[in-house]
Amino acid sequence: MSGSAPSQLERIRALGASLRPTPMVPLECEGIRLFAKLEFCNHFGSVKDRSAYWILKSAIEAGDIENGSTIIESSSGNFANALACYCRLLDLRFIPVIDPNITRGNESHLREMCQRVEKVEKRDDMGGFLKTRLQRVKELMEQEPGAYWTNQYGNEWAVEAHYRLTGEELCQSFSQLDYIFIGVSTAGTIAGISRRLKERFPSVQVIAVDVEGSVIFGGMPRRRYIPGIGSSISPGLLRQARIDDVVMVSEQETVRGCNELLVRHGVFAGGSSGSAYAAVKAYLPKMHSLSAPPTVAFLCADSGKSYLETVFNPDWCNSRFGM
């Protein structure tokens, strides 16, 4: 063989080819034209593929990540999974910081992909694990030479990813969009998408979806069991989001939403997807459009395969929620 090996920058840019547009599928729902954007069709299985790729690419371009860097991140599952895959392909060391709410499938994947996985067990003062995870990230950053924290909770590149990629795809998918429902956790997704959609469709209503027990929008903290939506902090990126309304759903509604998506619509999606779908149904009486029926979209952030032992398991649902 001749020629030099491709640089990290060349490799990460080549990996961008994996970020193809994800399907937009119509679902039957009385009174509205409803569409689900299937982000679990991304190459590594979730909407977090986009922010993981964009943050790594941007950090490599800026010289913040070099050969020998160690990537560190706190994640409930999807972002860590995407980072693990990209870091493996880039020959970068990755240390994910996880907690007991991570699904068994996601944890197994991370332990297979990463030489080291940090799992915190202590709940924070809000009843969750996020603050504990972030404290462990801080400790690892001090211990690991050449460490880089991707910081999905405050990294502007996470917003840019969804502005340029996810948001742009939504703009290309519709001639008119009246409502978009997006589950919120780190807020990078809703910040990027809402800013791009408001440029293309000034009258679109951006509806943030959160779960009871999360403090993102000022709710009272309490123990939560389903990862991927909600938070025990209000993320800094939320300030960049252009939100028109907020719908709070219970975790019982999340479970029912996931199961209805599967049984009625044939969409096998995870917890934040079921939450967004439940929010759409709860919001139906408020929806209107100058050209009825209104066009409505929501994100299916990840697949249901990681939730087989939780939201799709009747015994687990009964033990947690009495369902």
Side-chain angles (χ1 to χ4, degrees):
M1 296 180 63
S2 61
S4 59
S7 67
Q8 271 193 339
L9 184 55
E10 291 171 328
R11 291 160 72 186
I12 189 65
R13 286 176 174 171
L15 287 171
S18 67
L19 294 170
R20 304 177 184 91
T22 56
M24 185 77 68
V25 298
L27 306 182
E28 288 292 328
C29 189
E30 186 176 355
I32 62 174
R33 297 176 63 245
L34 180 61
F35 296 85
K37 185 165 177 58
L38 306 186
E39 286 296 293
F40 55 73
C41 292
N42 279 304
H43 199 61
F44 301 130
S46 82
V47 69
K48 295 293 188 177
D49 281 24
R50 299 169 181 271
S51 48
Y53 165 78
W54 201 267
I55 290 173
L56 289 174
K57 179 185 77 71
S58 301
I60 291 170
E61 288 173 340
D64 296 334
I65 294 176
E66 301 174 337
N67 291 330
S69 292
T70 295
I71 312 303
I72 297 174
E73 184 58 284
S74 156
S75 172
S76 60
N78 288 325
F79 191 64
N81 283 341
L83 281 177
C85 293
Y86 281 121
C87 286
R88 172 70 70 89
L89 293 170
L90 293 167
D91 295 323
L92 292 169
R93 184 171 178 242
F94 173 50
I95 304 176
V97 180
I98 63 174
D99 66 56
N101 279 346
I102 192 171
T103 64
R104 185 180 299 181
N106 281 336
E107 182 172 356
S108 296
H109 178 257
L110 290 175
R111 293 194 180 278
E112 179 68 25
M113 294 289 288
C114 307
Q115 292 182 343
R116 180 179 177 184
V117 175
E118 292 282 320
K119 188 173 185 178
V120 304
E121 302 285 348
K122 182 181 178 181
R123 290 188 179 272
D124 57 35
D125 58 351
M126 294 295 189
F129 295 98
L130 179 53
K131 291 183 179 180
T132 310
R133 292 199 325 245
L134 293 177
Q135 177 59 36
R136 186 61 185 137
V137 167
K138 181 180 178 181
E139 295 166 356
L140 290 169
M141 289 294 294
E142 295 172 349
Q143 297 168 8
E144 296 290 327
Y148 178 81
W149 178 27
T150 45
N151 187 12
Q152 63 171 324
Y153 313 95
N155 196 321
E156 299 280 344
W157 289 326
V159 178
E160 186 176 351
H162 294 292
Y163 177 92
R164 293 183 178 274
L165 301 174
T166 329
E168 184 60 33
E169 286 179 24
L170 283 159
C171 290
Q172 296 299 321
S173 297
F174 298 99
S175 58
Q176 176 60 37
L177 183 61
D178 299 299
Y179 295 87
I180 179 80
F181 289 75
I182 303 172
V184 180
S185 179
T186 64
T189 303
I190 196 168
I193 290 176
S194 64
R195 286 168 57 184
R196 183 65 189 99
L197 287 181
K198 289 287 189 177
E199 292 174 354
R200 175 67 177 85
F201 308 110
S203 63
V204 67
Q205 297 291 289
V206 177
I207 313 300
V209 182
D210 197 10
V211 291
E212 295 174 358
S214 166
V215 306
I216 293 175
F217 296 99
M220 292 296 295
R222 73 163 187 243
R223 180 175 294 192
R224 293 174 288 112
Y225 298 97
I226 301 173
I229 187 169
S231 178
S232 53
I233 66 170
S234 183
L237 296 179
L238 187 66
R239 292 190 294 270
Q240 299 190 37
R242 300 185 61 186
I243 296 171
D244 296 287
D245 206 351
V246 178
V247 176
M248 303 295 296
V249 301
S250 67
E251 290 192 302
Q252 292 93 325
E253 290 174 303
T254 295
V255 170
R256 287 191 287 266
C258 288
N259 282 275
E260 185 171 329
L261 275 175
L262 177 59
V263 173
R264 182 179 176 187
H265 301 292
V267 175
F268 185 40
S272 66
S273 312
S275 301
Y277 177 68
V280 169
K281 295 188 66 181
Y283 210 78
L284 280 172
K286 298 183 180 181
M287 290 189 201
H288 62 276
S289 172
L290 295 176
S291 56
T295 300
V296 182
F298 70 100
L299 292 194
C300 288
D302 64 356
S303 164
K305 65 182 180 181
S306 296
Y307 301 81
L308 285 170
E309 296 179 348
T310 55
V311 298
F312 293 102
N313 181 338
D315 292 335
W316 184 89
C317 294
N318 182 59
S319 67
R320 298 315 192 271
F321 312 123
M323 300 179 69

